[in-house]
Amino acid sequence: MKPLEIAESAVCGALYAVTGYIIYLFLPIVTPGIGIVRFWPNVVVPAVFAVLFGPLVGGFGAAIGIFISDILIHGDPLLSLSAGVTANFLGFYLLGYISRKNIDWTKLIAVSSIGCLTVSVGSLVTVSYVTIPLIVDNGLTDQINVTVNGLNLFTTIIVATFIVAVAIGYLWPEWRNYELGSVLGLLVGSTIIGLVVWAYSQIFILPAAVGGGFQLPFYAALIWLVWVFATEIPFLILLGPPILKACQRALPSLAPRRAESK
């Protein structure tokens, strides 16, 4: 990275951490029932940086910001490095990369559809062959409806989000790559958070400051995945374009040049 990009990443990280901490102070909302993962509408901050200044700036800025805010809120650096930092870097790097590539619209829709379908089918297989049998074996039959309903909700959210993203891309072609990049990037980040936080809970006690817990059942991973995607995607696909447009109007030099697709 160039020195300017390092500085941009630092600004992104600071802004991401400060806005996240302030939001949590006034809205200390975490995943219903199991806690840990916070309500995080400020995801639009690294998304804007990833588009304007490049995927590395957005990815590193998001990683820095989430680590700082995690330390301030729950104080567990290992959990932050394993789940939050990894998910944020990869998710926003992917968002910025897709947004700045001159990718054919038809191909991008196809790839996005496959990605959404893969995650949905993977969740279904996990619930059917792993989660529900474990719930039944432990006599927690009441959790079956909760898990199945969560899967249905997740599938509905993905389909609805994908339709909205495609509609925005159709009406405003300049935001096509950004919209679908947001969907794919957040899918990757949400999946990492759900799986890694669950795996972490099998070894370590989760921070009490945001709900706590130890050796949580596997269906918790699905709940976290649904929560992250459902609560963050509206801010990405609806607030991102107008903020980016305002920035580019104020400073036309910020308009990114899309690299040629291969």
Side-chain angles (χ1 to χ4, degrees):
M1 296 179 68
K2 300 177 181 178
L4 180 59
E5 291 176 322
I6 295 174
E8 291 164 348
S9 298
V11 172
C12 175
L15 187 59
Y16 192 34
V18 169
T19 54
Y21 186 69
I22 292 174
I23 289 172
Y24 184 75
L25 285 180
F26 289 95
L27 295 172
I29 303 171
V30 293
T31 313
I34 55 176
I36 305 302
V37 182
R38 306 183 295 274
F39 176 61
W40 211 240
N42 59 318
V43 286
V44 72
V45 172
V48 168
F49 274 80
V51 175
L52 296 179
F53 303 109
L56 278 177
V57 171
F60 277 117
I64 293 169
I66 198 66
F67 183 76
I68 294 173
S69 60
D70 281 347
I71 296 302
L72 292 174
I73 293 171
H74 64 63
D76 189 333
L78 183 58
L79 175 61
S80 181
L81 288 171
S82 56
V85 170
T86 305
N88 274 266
F89 176 79
L90 292 177
F92 288 105
Y93 180 90
L94 184 60
L95 186 158
Y97 178 81
I98 294 174
S99 297
R100 295 168 67 93
K101 293 290 285 186
N102 188 23
I103 303 175
D104 180 80
W105 176 236
T106 304
K107 293 180 180 179
L108 188 56
I109 290 180
V111 172
S112 302
S113 302
I114 293 172
C116 294
L117 181 62
T118 300
V119 174
S120 297
V121 171
S123 299
L124 177 62
V125 171
T126 300
V127 168
S128 300
Y129 293 98
V130 179
T131 304
I132 288 181
L134 286 174
I135 292 173
V136 173
D137 291 342
N138 289 288
L140 303 175
T141 53
D142 290 341
Q143 296 294 339
I144 294 178
N145 289 332
V146 174
T147 305
V148 172
N149 289 337
L151 177 62
N152 291 335
L153 176 63
F154 178 55
T155 304
T156 301
I157 291 170
I158 285 186
V159 172
T161 300
F162 185 75
I163 292 173
V164 171
V166 171
I168 293 175
Y170 178 78
L171 295 173
W172 295 279
E174 66 270 26
W175 302 116
R176 287 177 174 178
N177 286 22
Y178 170 81
E179 291 294 323
L180 294 185
S182 296
V183 174
L184 289 177
L186 189 56
L187 269 178
V188 170
S190 302
T191 303
I192 291 172
I193 288 176
L195 293 176
V196 173
V197 173
W198 170 81
Y200 189 92
S201 77
Q202 306 306 301
I203 305 172
F204 305 102
I205 299 175
L206 294 171
V210 283
F214 180 60
Q215 294 187 340
L216 295 180
F218 190 78
Y219 63 79
L222 178 61
I223 296 175
W224 283 317
L225 196 164
V226 174
W227 168 257
V228 173
F229 190 85
T231 58
E232 295 181 6
I233 195 62
F235 299 98
L236 285 177
I237 66 174
L238 297 178
L239 294 184
I243 293 175
L244 285 165
K245 192 171 184 179
C247 292
Q248 292 169 3
R249 279 184 175 178
L251 294 170
S253 61
L254 291 179
R257 296 180 180 178
R258 286 180 179 169
E260 293 296 326
S261 59
K262 297 181 178 180

